[in-house]
Amino acid sequence: MVYYIRFLKSPRLQKQKTGSVAASALICITTDLGDAFLSQDVDLLVTLQLADNEKAVCQAKLQWRGGKRELPILLGPLPASIAQQSMIMQVTAHGSQAPSWDSLLDERNIPLVLSAWSTAFGGPQLAVADKLIERRFSVNHGIELSIWEETGNSIARHIWDAATASVMYLQQIIAGNQAPSNPVLHKLLRDERSSPLHVIELGSGCGIFGIALANLLPQCSVLLTDLPEVEEIITKNIGAAHPADSSDIRYQPLDWEAELPDNLFDSPSIDLILVSDCTYNADSLPALVSVLGRLVRLSPHAIILVALKRRHESESIFFDLMHSAGLQTLHLHRMELPSQHDQFDEIELHCYGADTRQ
Ligand SMILES: C[S@@+](CC[C@H](N)C(=O)[O-])C[C@H]1O[C@@H](n2cnc3c(N)ncnc32)[C@H](O)[C@@H]1O
């Protein structure tokens, strides 16, 4: 599993006893679930940048020590002229060069530790950064993806590992270079289209999977859905997105336990249904599979792409439920994400379609 740098205390400017000003924060490095800390040593580079032009004003090297649960950051003293301005803080494990965006180009390049960018802080009011973290990814040559997530413990308002792997998977298929073999998705994503591809994502959380697809693929209309609690973060992420030519992204609440809203689609049918890391809770699986079944009854040619990291055995019920709902596996691909101590973590990407024999 990849590890995520998180702000436990948001960056802020602090007046020191000497009268000077320093930037401080408290970070940790955890799994997506936040249930384990990175247990190996990693060198970090912290950069303070001016918020308006991202010019670096101060940098420091730090080390995250395996076994620790937090790491304080203190940068300064800062020149008085700079301390008056708004700043952002970047924390990355990329080494001593200027921080660059995290690569999701292929499995060899994805970093073990994902970098964090803060919101703006400081300025004349010495404002504290918001409780948000920006992740910045290179998803294809020249295509970048910016996704905000919360610093707190919400399940929905975070990026999960399966979504990170899914973005890499889609980008490899769309780019076509040494793409994983998946005839179903190749046809859907790479064949010429006369009309837009209609995509819905269920349980989209921050929206990284669907937003990445719309950024990568022209003529692609993506509807992100989740519980109402994600609306604020997802709206922020849609605002930061750069959809490809003639592509668009919107959000609508959709609870798997409720009826499908009448106004869900503005198109006659859906081509692709995305689901990432939504199978961790066995109690919600019947409702999830029921929505998938209803969507496929409305659009019998729809392909479902389910990405998951197996977290416990009860998740296997999902596959039985999909089978009972007449949804058959068309393709399975496995990807490896880096994990600590040179280990790897497996992400499964299952493609489903309606079983035409039923
Ligand atoms: C582990 S998160 C995964 C988020 C995102 N897909 C990702 O991979 O980064 C699971 C998501 O499923 C959503 N979810 C759980 N129960 C739901 C329900 N009954 N209806 C709609 N969404 C639900 C949660 O709100 C959450 O965003």
Side-chain angles (χ1 to χ4, degrees), residues 155-156 158-160 163 201 203-205 208 226-227 230 254-257 276-278 280:
I155 283 192
H158 276 309
I159 296 170
W160 292 73
E201 181 174 1
S204 43
I208 176 171
D226 203 306
L227 298 172
V230 305
L254 171 62
D255 183 345
W256 311 329
E257 308 276 350
S276 149
D277 243 327
C278 288
Y280 62 95

Side-chain angles (χ1 to χ4, degrees), residues 118-187:
S118 75
T119 64
F121 63 97
Q125 308 300 323
L126 294 187
V128 177
D130 295 336
K131 293 187 170 177
L132 292 173
I133 294 173
E134 187 186 9
R135 310 282 177 201
R136 297 182 181 182
F137 301 104
S138 304
V139 284
N140 198 345
H141 301 289
I143 299 184
E144 289 168 342
L145 176 67
S146 150
I147 298 289
W148 290 94
E149 56 176 329
E150 280 191 5
T151 54
N153 281 332
S154 141
I155 283 192
R157 296 183 292 273
H158 276 309
I159 296 170
W160 292 73
D161 285 354
T164 313
S166 305
V167 173
M168 192 159 50
Y169 183 58
L170 289 180
Q171 97 78 23
Q172 286 175 353
I173 291 176
I174 292 167
N177 321 323
Q178 295 179 327
S181 125
N182 181 335
V184 187
L185 278 185
H186 273 240
K187 189 166 166 38

